[in-house]
């Protein structure tokens, strides 16, 4: 009896406890944890508002509208348009133009430095920004892997912490799995640059002089640049001893100091072991020159750093992947199209030395040697037909092509002459 009684009391007690806990639980579920919910819904107090939000790399839903003069529009997605804009490049690739953009927009008659970087070049890139103090359009390639978020954070820190970045730099992101598609990246940097002229520069070069200032002393050259007839060369140099050329702080800023270093055999033309790369600039002439002069001995491996007009100049061909041929191909096509190379007499750039991965370079160069060989033949015939159809074959505009293609392509003049007489019949 006693046992039964106590069982029923325990049972009652347990039941009541269960009831109370359940009611409390239900109450708390609907009206409870006021603090937690409150925190989530309350707007962040001003002191907690971040200075900015890091832009997203997610696919945006932008559309490009094609309007007619009746005001009707046809929309095409941005990514679809890019897939054709850069159609020779490897797909898929995620392009984010103006991921960061300078304010205000640059003056159209200025010269944009168009260049390419990867995350390991941030330091030297920042040096360029601090030094140039003019518009810069940079294609930043980021590998599509686990490091991405980290790189974007570092980029954000760099951009937000330097007022010169906000004033002068447009950053275009390229996120994909493909390394070293340099000509795609070059075209992106150029395409989205916002001035009429650009300097195609490799990021490791230090701009030792104020070439924009110098150009003002050569109005005749500026006029030719406006007409799209010239590419203006900034001669490139490097320190012979790797370690002496790492720090731009010690680089000369005027030609006389540079020439002294050359005489002392401390500095030489860039890549003196590969003279065809820059030899056409004729360095022996440059040391004496005080007026701009034309390049007379063009070589298809010539790859100087040039200022050109943005509109109307051939683009860099995107078929090259990896080292070798890519930059030379850009300059070859520009040259064939009838643009002459002029070298500035007082301005120069110097390579900021660093270590290279030579093995990748050697193998890729071998591939691209063949690609470039084919490319040159193709370009020669394409421009020949272009000039012929536009009745420009007999004009000075075709001189570069005639000269260069008869060196590059066997029987070029014979074949083109035969073609002309056949089509004239
Ligand atoms: C280019 O330069 C190299 C080295 O100076 C030379 O051997 C070669 O013949 C040149 N090629 C052309 C097409 O001028
Ligand atoms: C380079 O310039 C020097 C000095 O002006 C001249 O003698 C030489 O012929 C030029 N060489 C070439 C390849 O243009």
């Amino acid at each position: 009896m006693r046992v039964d009684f106590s069982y029923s009391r325990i049972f009652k007690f347990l039941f009541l406890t269960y009831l109370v806990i359940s009611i409390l639980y239900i109450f708390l579920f609907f009206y409870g944890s006021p603090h937690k919910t409150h925190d989530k819904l309350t707007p962040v107090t001003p002191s907690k508002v971040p200075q900015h939000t890091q832009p997203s790399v997610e696919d945006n839903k932008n559309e490009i509208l094609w309007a007619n003069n009746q005001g009707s529009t046809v929309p095409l997605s941005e990514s679809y348009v890019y897939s054709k804009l850069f159609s020779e490049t490897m797909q898929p690739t995620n392009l984010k133009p103006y991921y960061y953009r300078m304010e205000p927009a640059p003056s159209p008659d200025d010269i944009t430095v168009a260049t390419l970087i990867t995350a390991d070049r941030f330091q030297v890139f920042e040096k360029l920004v601090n030094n140039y103090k003019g518009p810069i359009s940079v294609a930043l390639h980021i590998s599509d892997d686990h490091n991405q978020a980290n790189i974007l954070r570092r980029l954000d820190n760099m951009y937000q912490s330097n007022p010169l970045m906000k004033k002068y730099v447009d950053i275009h992101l390229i996120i994909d799995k493909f390394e070293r598609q340099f000509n795609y990246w070059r075209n992106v940097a150029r395409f989205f640059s916002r001035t009429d002229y650009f300097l195609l520069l490799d990021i490791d070069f230090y701009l030792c002089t104020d070439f924009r200032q110098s150009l003002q002393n050569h109005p005749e050259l500026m006029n030719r640049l406006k007409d799209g007839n010239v590419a203006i060369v900034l001669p490139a140099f490097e320190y012979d001893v790797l370690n002496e050329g790492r720090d731009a702080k010690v680089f000369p800023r005027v030609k006389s100091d540079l020439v002294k270093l050359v005489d002392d055999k401390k500095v030489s033309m860039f890549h003196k072991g590969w003279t065809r790369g820059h030899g056409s600039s004729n360095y022996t002439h440059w040391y004496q020159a005080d007026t701009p002069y034309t390049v007379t001995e063009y070589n298809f491996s010539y790859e100087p750093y040039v200022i050109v007009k943005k509109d109307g100049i051939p683009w860099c061909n995107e078929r090259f992947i990896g080292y070798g041929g890519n930059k030379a191909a850009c300059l070859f096509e520009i040259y064939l199209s009838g643009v002459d190379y002029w070298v500035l007499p007082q301005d120069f750039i110097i390579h900021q030395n660093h270590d290279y991965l030579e093995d990748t370079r050697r193998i890729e160069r071998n591939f691209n040697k063949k690609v470039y060989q084919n490319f040159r033949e193709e370009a020669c015939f394409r421009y020949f037909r272009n000039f012929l159809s536009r009745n420009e074959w007999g004009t000075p505009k075709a001189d570069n092509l005639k000269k260069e293609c008869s060196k590059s392509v066997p029987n070029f003049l014979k074949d083109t002459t035969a073609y002309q007489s056949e089509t004239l019949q």
Side-chain angles (χ1 to χ4, degrees):
M1 200 54 200
R2 220 189 116 118
V3 177
D4 278 357
F5 174 67
S6 78
Y7 271 147
S8 105
R9 285 207 41 186
I10 287 170
F11 180 77
K12 254 192 197 160
F13 173 76
L14 282 176
F15 180 76
L16 272 173
T17 315
Y18 170 77
L19 211 67
V20 167
I21 287 175
S22 302
I23 289 167
L24 254 173
Y25 179 81
I26 289 163
F27 178 84
L28 283 175
F29 183 81
F30 285 105
Y31 307 99
S33 0
H35 291 297
K36 266 192 187 162
T37 328
H38 195 71
D39 254 7
K40 271 187 198 155
L41 294 180
T42 316
V44 186
T45 52
S47 68
K48 285 194 211 159
V49 171
Q51 295 276 298
H52 67 278
T53 9
Q54 195 177 309
S56 157
V57 294
E58 294 308 308
D59 280 348
N60 58 36
K61 299 282 179 272
N62 283 349
E63 285 184 325
I64 294 170
L65 298 180
W66 307 81
N68 67 4
N69 54 13
Q70 259 88 57
S72 95
T73 55
V74 175
L76 292 179
S77 81
E78 196 180 345
S79 58
Y80 179 70
V81 172
Y82 296 156
S83 75
K84 181 57 186 154
L85 267 184
F86 304 104
S87 60
E88 276 187 273
T89 202
M90 292 208 272
Q91 306 287 342
T93 173
N94 182 7
L95 174 59
K96 294 275 161 245
Y98 307 112
Y99 183 74
Y100 293 102
R101 60 186 80 188
M102 68 180 108
E103 300 275 0
S107 154
D109 57 4
D110 209 338
I111 299 168
T112 297
V113 172
T115 191
L116 351 157
I117 54 172
T118 43
D120 56 342
R121 314 308 294 149
F122 279 2
Q123 247 185 334
V124 81
F125 171 62
E126 201 159 10
K127 257 194 228 171
L128 170 72
V129 175
N130 294 339
N131 178 28
Y132 184 50
K133 300 199 174 61
I136 296 173
S137 171
V138 60
L140 164 60
H141 179 259
I142 301 180
S143 295
D144 188 7
D145 62 25
H146 63 280
N147 282 324
Q148 205 188 109
N150 184 28
I151 291 169
L152 290 174
R153 242 187 328 273
R154 279 175 50 211
L155 175 68
D156 198 60
N157 283 340
M158 175 176 70
Y159 198 87
Q160 304 298 347
S161 64
N162 186 343
L164 292 175
M165 293 267 173
K166 296 181 192 171
K167 193 168 171 195
Y168 293 122
V169 182
D170 283 337
I171 296 183
H172 320 293
L173 294 190
I174 296 168
I175 304 174
D176 61 32
K177 304 234 179 244
F178 315 113
E179 304 294 332
R180 298 188 292 284
Q181 291 202 95
F182 301 125
N183 280 357
Y184 167 38
W185 306 351
R186 284 193 177 100
N187 285 344
V188 166
R190 167 186 170 181
F191 187 85
F192 296 106
S193 67
R194 296 196 258 165
T195 61
D196 293 345
Y197 312 100
F198 68 97
L199 162 65
L200 198 54
L201 189 73
D202 284 350
I203 194 63
D204 293 330
F205 280 91
Y206 188 79
L207 304 168
C208 297
T209 61
D210 185 349
F211 61 84
R212 289 184 295 175
Q213 182 74 39
S214 311
L215 279 171
Q216 289 175 8
N217 302 328
H218 304 292
E220 73 298 338
L221 201 55
M222 278 310 287
N223 284 336
R224 290 165 142 271
L225 184 69
K226 275 191 190 114
D227 295 338
N229 294 328
V230 296
I232 298 174
V233 177
L234 296 178
F237 292 83
E238 72 185 332
Y239 279 79
D240 288 10
V241 177
L242 186 89
N243 280 329
E244 286 179 14
R246 284 185 195 269
D247 183 7
K249 276 199 225 78
V250 305
F251 289 2
R253 303 299 148 103
V254 292
K255 183 175 176 178
S256 53
D257 290 344
L258 170 73
V259 173
K260 256 181 235 136
L261 289 167
V262 172
D263 289 343
D264 293 347
K265 309 230 177 305
K266 288 190 178 302
V267 171
S268 312
M269 67 176 281
F270 186 57
H271 281 173
K272 68 174 171 189
W274 175 251
T275 45
R276 57 181 74 190
H278 292 266
S280 300
S281 298
N282 195 347
Y283 285 74
T284 46
H285 187 79
W286 189 82
Y287 298 132
Q288 325 283 332
D290 47 24
T291 51
Y293 59 93
T294 45
V295 165
T296 52
E297 298 300 315
Y298 181 85
N299 191 299
F300 64 70
S301 299
Y302 188 37
E303 46 178 20
Y305 298 96
V306 292
I307 300 160
V308 278
K309 192 177 179 179
K310 195 173 83 165
D311 199 8
I313 296 292
W315 294 85
C316 291
N317 195 285
E318 288 157 18
R319 76 184 68 185
F320 297 88
I321 296 154
Y323 293 113
N326 54 77
K327 199 186 319 128
C330 306
L331 292 148
F332 182 77
E333 198 169 333
I334 292 172
Y335 184 72
L336 285 201
S337 76
V339 170
D340 288 323
Y341 288 75
W342 282 74
V343 187
L344 273 184
Q346 301 297 338
D347 296 273
F348 56 92
I349 59 181
I350 299 183
H351 188 253
Q352 299 169 81
N353 291 341
H354 59 92
D355 306 305
Y356 290 111
L357 298 166
E358 276 306 330
D359 272 357
T360 333
R361 295 195 158 218
R362 193 175 45 75
I363 296 162
E364 289 183 346
R365 282 208 167 103
N366 268 337
F367 288 151
N368 281 329
K369 213 171 149 177
K370 294 170 203 162
V371 178
Y372 191 28
Q373 171 79 39
N374 292 336
F375 170 78
R376 286 199 306 278
E377 289 206 20
E378 201 184 307
C380 282
F381 286 113
R382 191 156 38 90
Y383 278 89
F384 158 65
R385 303 218 27 189
N386 184 310
F387 285 137
L388 195 65
S389 304
R390 298 166 66 190
N391 289 325
E392 288 181 333
W393 184 241
T395 70
K397 210 176 159 177
D399 286 353
N400 291 349
L401 177 119
K402 285 176 184 164
K403 200 169 153 194
E404 193 48 40
C405 294
S406 33
K407 283 193 278 173
S408 267
V409 180
N411 302 323
F412 182 73
L413 283 183
K414 192 167 143 263
D415 288 350
T416 51
T417 312
Y419 179 85
Q420 287 176 80
S421 48
E422 217 168 79
T423 49
L424 282 176
Q425 277 162 15

